[in-house]
């Protein structure tokens, strides 16, 4: 169960980053550096979630 809880936590953080990216894109002048950093963090979370899911299925 701890793995599923961790995946849910990461999913929540992933969703929050997605919202932050959308908020940044909706700004009149978005900060490209901030967008790159947010996207990098979001991708890292996605990769971690996928790795955890792979462990639970094997």
């Amino acid at each position: 169960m701890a793995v599923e809880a961790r995946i849910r936590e990461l999913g929540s953080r992933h969703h929050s980053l997605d919202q932050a990216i959308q908020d940044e894109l909706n700004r009149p002048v978005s900060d490209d550096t901030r967008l790159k950093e947010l996207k990098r963090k979001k991708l890292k979370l996605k990769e971690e979630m996928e790795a955890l899911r792979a462990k639970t299925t094997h």
Side-chain angles (χ1 to χ4, degrees):
M1 283 295 185
V3 174
E4 288 89 10
R6 178 71 176 149
I7 291 171
R8 283 192 302 274
E9 176 195 343
L10 293 172
S12 176
R13 290 171 50 198
H14 186 268
H15 179 74
S16 295
L17 284 170
D18 194 40
Q19 186 60 50
I21 289 167
Q22 289 305 312
D23 291 346
E24 188 65 36
L25 288 171
N26 289 331
R27 291 180 56 194
V29 179
S30 59
D31 181 344
D32 289 339
T33 304
R34 177 165 163 71
L35 277 172
K36 286 179 187 176
E37 180 66 18
L38 290 169
K39 288 179 180 183
R40 185 188 64 76
K41 288 179 180 180
K42 183 179 167 191
L43 179 59
K44 186 176 178 184
L45 288 174
K46 180 180 177 185
E47 289 171 345
E48 189 175 345
M49 286 188 297
E50 288 174 355
L52 289 171
R53 285 186 184 117
K55 283 183 182 179
T56 61
T57 59
H58 292 281

